[in-house]
């Protein structure tokens, strides 16, 4: 049974120009009704798919910290009411915007057992922050991380982005330098992906989005990998780097192809071999929970072939790669039995390599990860 749970808070004070997550403006929304619906979904989910004890909890969005104090308190109490976990052992993560976390909110989160904060920093360059639709500025990051440390948070992650409009390699190197000076435990570094239905997508279609070249973006990624290692942040997944002992246990749930609960509008879950996707619109989510207790839009029973494909393309995101022994234990077949030709082809291209225990991406393979993942989809 699932040992992890994800909770989606879809409200934002400002919509970023690149974001395609399920989100809406905070003001004018039925926020209290939404949180009550989430509480009902938690209750019904635990009744239908009970869990002994969770190991990780992750609250994402949207922007969870946009909630007002009373709303935040109600939401946290709902989690405690319906999910069992050990406060001493759980990894409890909250995503946050640097300019939306007051001292009072930080104290509330700390007292409620949240022990990991993930800040959407993206860049420390104020002009770039404005250009991508972020509302915080460099000083907000410095002040909020200092405040979080003062209150007692000892597991802090920041997100950085590269390949942003007009961003130079030099600017990204400066971002890395500042990030290292903050002495946080975890850094995620993602390349910008232009998604449909975003402001950036519309600008790109009109020819008004000037992006770095592929060579410049590759240079930024290579520099991230090199510099992170120099500063004791070890790459454990394509876009994620951690100090020893601070890997994101929750995200490893996904990459290890393990099961998890998903609560909230647009959230996904994987329980009992079944993947479920919740409806996305806020009012539809509330109505569906009221009607049936479950807000499912799609329910998909994952076949053995699909499970094996997922084991490969999710597991290859990890630096250590896919465990041969674990694959055999899960499926009763070896990787060469199922994917021998695909592995051989990608090895020949120099994108995969094999150790005694794992199959993993090469350094070049990390630059072309999506191409490698495609080799394991639909080929069984």
């Amino acid at each position: 049974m699932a040992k992890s749970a994800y909770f989606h808070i879809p409200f934002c004070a400002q919509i970023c120009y690149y974001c395609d997550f399920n989100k809406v403006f905070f003001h004018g929304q039925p926020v209290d009704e939404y949180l009550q619906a989430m509480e009902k979904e938690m209750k019904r989910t635990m009744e239908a798919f009970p869990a002994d004890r969770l190991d990780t909890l992750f609250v994402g969005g949207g922007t969870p910290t946009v909630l007002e104090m009373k709303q935040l308190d109600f939401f946290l109490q709902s989690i405690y009411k319906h999910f069992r976990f050990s406060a001493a052992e759980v990894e409890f993560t909250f995503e946050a915007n640097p300019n939306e976390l007051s001292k009072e909110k930080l104290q509330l989160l700390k007292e409620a057992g949240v022990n990991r904060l993930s800040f959407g920093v993206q860049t420390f360059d104020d002009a770039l922050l404005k250009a991508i639709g972020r509302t915080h500025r460099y000083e907000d990051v410095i002040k909020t991380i200092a405040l979080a440390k003062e209150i007692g948070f000892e597991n802090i992650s920041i997100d950085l982005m590269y390949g942003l409009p007009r961003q130079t390699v030099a600017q990204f190197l400066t971002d890395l330098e500042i990030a290292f000076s903050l002495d946080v435990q975890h850094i995620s570094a993602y390349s910008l992906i232009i998604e449909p239905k975003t402001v950036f997508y519309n600008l790109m279609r009109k020819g008004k989005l000037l992006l770095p070249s592929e060579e410049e973006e590759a240079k930024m990624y290579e520099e991230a990998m090199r510099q992170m290692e120099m500063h004791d942040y070890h790459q454990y997944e394509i876009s994620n780097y951690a100090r020893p002992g601070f890997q994101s246990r929750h995200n490893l749930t996904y990459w290890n192809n393990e099961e998890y609960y998903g609560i909230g509008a647009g959230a996904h879950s994987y329980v009992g071999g079944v993947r479920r996707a919740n409806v996305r619109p806020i009012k539809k989510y509330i109505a569906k929970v009221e009607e049936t207790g479950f807000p499912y839009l799609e329910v998909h029973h994952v076949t053995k072939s699909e499970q094996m494909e997922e084991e490969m393309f999710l597991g290859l995101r990890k630096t250590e790669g896919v465990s041969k022994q674990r694959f055999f234990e899960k499926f009763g077949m070896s990787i060469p039995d199922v994917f021998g030709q695909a592995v051989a082809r990608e090895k020949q291209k120099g994108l995969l390599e094999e150790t005694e225990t794992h199959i993993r991406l090469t350094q070049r393979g990390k630059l072309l990860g999506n191409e490698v993942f495609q080799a394991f989809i639909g080929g069984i």
Side-chain angles (χ1 to χ4, degrees), residues 270 273 300-310 331:
Y270 183 28
H300 176 68
H301 294 261
V302 185
T303 66
K304 186 176 179 181
S305 293
E306 289 170 333
Q307 287 176 33
M308 290 191 287
E309 289 173 355
E310 290 171 354
F331 305 112

Side-chain angles (χ1 to χ4, degrees), residues 13-14 63 65 96-102 105 119-120 134-137 139-141 144:
Q14 162 78 11
T63 313
T65 49
N97 273 356
N99 60 330
E100 289 172 354
L101 261 185
S102 63
K105 282 186 184 178
F119 287 103
R134 300 293 289 182
T135 55
H136 74 269
R137 295 295 176 258
E139 282 301 324
D140 296 319
V141 180
T144 307

Side-chain angles (χ1 to χ4, degrees), residues 38-153:
M38 280 187 85
E39 201 258 340
K40 286 176 185 167
E41 189 193 358
M42 292 180 206
K43 180 176 185 291
R44 290 301 306 275
T45 298
M46 284 298 96
E47 287 171 352
F49 314 106
D52 292 336
R53 193 177 71 176
L54 297 185
D55 293 332
T56 74
L57 307 168
F58 194 106
V59 183
T63 313
T65 49
V66 78
L67 296 178
E68 295 168 359
M69 287 287 286
K70 279 186 180 177
Q71 294 166 338
L72 206 50
D73 188 46
F74 174 83
F75 170 65
L76 289 162
Q77 286 189 42
S78 298
I79 292 175
Y80 272 90
K81 190 173 174 183
H82 299 293
F83 292 90
R84 286 187 290 177
F85 50 91
S86 163
E89 296 174 19
V90 74
E91 177 191 85
F92 193 167
T93 304
F94 240 78
E95 286 186 341
N97 273 356
N99 60 330
E100 289 172 354
L101 261 185
S102 63
K103 188 171 186 178
E104 291 73 26
K105 282 186 184 178
L106 278 166
Q107 285 170 330
L108 175 61
L109 294 177
K110 188 81 172 70
E111 287 162 12
V114 174
N115 53 22
R116 185 174 184 271
L117 296 174
S118 179
F119 287 103
V121 172
Q122 318 316 1
T123 176
F124 296 99
D125 186 298
D126 282 353
L128 267 180
L129 284 167
K130 188 176 179 183
I132 64 176
R134 300 293 289 182
T135 55
H136 74 269
R137 295 295 176 258
Y138 167 80
E139 282 301 324
D140 296 319
V141 180
I142 306 305
K143 287 176 185 172
T144 307
I145 288 179
L147 186 59
K149 288 181 178 182
E150 183 187 313
I151 284 167
F153 285 96

